[in-house]
Amino acid sequence: MHLNEFANDLTALDMTQSDEFRSLLRSADDLGIAHAPTVSYFSRNTVVRHLRLHFLEWGDPDAPPLLLIHGGNQSAHSWDLVSLHLADRFHIYALDQRGHGDSEWSRDADYSVPALVADARGFIAQLGLVDPIIVGHSLGGLVTMTLAAETPAVPRALVIVDTAPEISQQGSQAVRNFILANAEFDSIDQFVGRVTQYDPYRSPEHIQRTVRYNLLERADGRFIAKSDRMLHDAEFAKRRPMGEGRPADLESVRAIDCPTLVIRGGDSEVLEPAAAERFAAVLPCGQLATVPKAGHNVHGQNTPGFLEALCPFIDGL
């Protein structure tokens, strides 16, 4: 059983009338995140490459398009606070990647970067996004940089959050280990407790408010992680890792010639400072920003700091 609301067909669902939206506004107030008094915010579905993909649409359709791509084991809702803040000046599409959030699971269990890139490219074409700014975190960042390297004419600009062609294997494995070890829970409180121990940057109250986007309730009353069960299987992860097909080295991203901001969490164990600097330096129009008081999940762990790094870049394009 799903714990959150979302569109169940091709008809857009107005999310501003939901308890979820009111909960989001409380989180924004808690964190001091400014937003317009009224926003446009819908849950929608589309079909791309024979796969139903869910996405959240924010803002004025006449505003510049901004595509947000989440990380592994996350969802489009990981960007909610960011989207709320930016909805007064961008037309935002926050995509649930295949096997995540409220999108369909892959029939052939293909969660490689090439498959996700093809989905993102197909989504951009399907929705008619022209010169979008693309923001990608972690796995979504790999998708973003690969798409831009293969088709440089598509994006207007990029923001790559806490990933690069070079990442710490130890740090990324620690993230993976947490995902594999936390697939089932006896209660929501157990989930919140484990996430609180793993993520000291967010309050238990904030984690509690977002739990509905991370869990499904099974028929026996237990709670399970919402992403495809195959992604929580250690043997499957060895055979078909989600990062399969990632850019092999720095040379592979030199083709990205649009303005690109690399954002690193100041305490990240995944993207080390020197690797972030090398990545930004090799990009023809690259720059680097480090957000303090945040680890790998920069935009969720220090949303105000993330917005301080992001907004001058995208507003100045």
Side-chain angles (χ1 to χ4, degrees):
M1 181 177 73
H2 289 269
L3 305 180
N4 67 300
E5 295 183 46
F6 59 95
N8 57 16
D9 54 27
L10 294 179
T11 304
L13 175 66
D14 184 356
M15 294 296 292
T16 62
Q17 306 306 308
S18 66
D19 288 339
E20 295 175 30
F21 183 65
R22 287 184 281 274
S23 175
L24 175 64
L25 294 181
R26 289 195 296 272
S27 291
D29 289 343
D30 290 346
L31 296 170
I33 295 172
H35 56 86
T38 59
V39 298
S40 173
Y41 170 32
F42 291 92
S43 164
R44 291 183 57 191
N45 291 291
T46 190
V47 177
V48 175
R49 303 178 65 232
H50 309 290
L51 201 68
R52 182 189 59 79
L53 297 180
H54 173 260
F55 64 100
L56 302 172
E57 183 178 13
W58 299 74
D60 184 346
D62 292 330
L66 177 67
L67 174 60
L68 303 173
I69 308 180
H70 64 78
N73 203 45
Q74 297 189 356
S75 76
H77 284 288
S78 68
W79 299 106
D80 280 355
L81 288 166
V82 173
S83 299
L84 177 67
H85 178 75
L86 297 176
D88 65 339
R89 53 199 187 277
F90 290 98
H91 187 196
I92 300 166
Y93 301 81
L95 175 65
D96 274 332
Q97 299 197 83
R98 59 168 61 196
H100 293 75
D102 297 309
S103 283
E104 188 176 359
W105 295 1
S106 172
R107 298 177 185 85
D108 58 1
D110 186 359
Y111 294 103
S112 64
V113 169
L116 299 175
V117 169
D119 288 348
R121 188 181 292 118
F123 181 82
I124 290 169
Q126 175 88 335
L127 274 296
L129 307 190
V130 178
D131 296 330
I133 301 168
I134 308 178
V135 182
H137 167 245
S138 193
L139 175 66
L142 294 180
V143 171
T144 299
M145 75 173 80
T146 305
L147 185 154
E150 293 176 353
T151 50
V154 169
R156 175 186 177 195
L158 305 180
V159 180
I160 311 295
V161 185
D162 217 68
T163 194
E166 302 172 304
I167 59 171
S168 165
Q169 293 305 310
Q170 182 177 357
S172 59
Q173 188 59 49
V175 174
R176 187 69 190 150
N177 289 344
F178 178 80
I179 293 172
L180 293 175
N182 289 275
E184 295 189 11
F185 307 90
D186 293 325
S187 67
I188 288 177
D189 287 343
Q190 184 184 41
F191 170 83
V192 172
R194 291 189 189 178
V195 175
T196 300
Q197 289 180 341
Y198 175 75
D199 183 356
Y201 301 94
R202 293 191 296 160
S203 69
E205 292 77 16
H206 179 61
I207 295 170
Q208 184 78 38
R209 286 177 184 167
T210 58
V211 68
R212 72 189 82 199
Y213 305 122
N214 298 291
L215 297 177
L216 295 170
E217 185 175 3
R218 208 163 57 186
D220 62 1
R222 285 176 63 81
F223 295 87
I224 61 174
K226 197 172 182 181
S227 46
D228 189 337
R229 299 295 291 164
M230 296 298 288
L231 299 173
H232 300 270
D233 181 272
E235 291 304 313
F236 175 79
K238 291 177 184 177
R239 296 193 306 272
R240 303 184 73 172
M242 289 193 71
E244 185 180 23
R246 63 179 295 125
D249 52 40
L250 291 173
E251 289 301 315
S252 63
V253 296
R254 287 186 182 275
I256 300 174
D257 58 1
C258 64
T260 302
L261 174 65
V262 179
I263 297 181
R264 176 183 177 271
D267 301 328
S268 175
E269 295 180 350
V270 173
L271 181 57
E272 296 176 341
E277 291 170 3
R278 286 192 293 270
F279 180 34
V282 80
L283 295 167
C285 301
Q287 55 184 284
L288 173 64
T290 299
V291 176
K293 299 179 182 178
H296 181 54
N297 294 323
V298 190
H299 57 297
Q301 294 171 328
N302 184 357
T303 308
F306 177 80
L307 291 171
E308 287 179 10
L310 174 72
C311 291
F313 174 76
I314 60 174
D315 289 339
L317 291 171

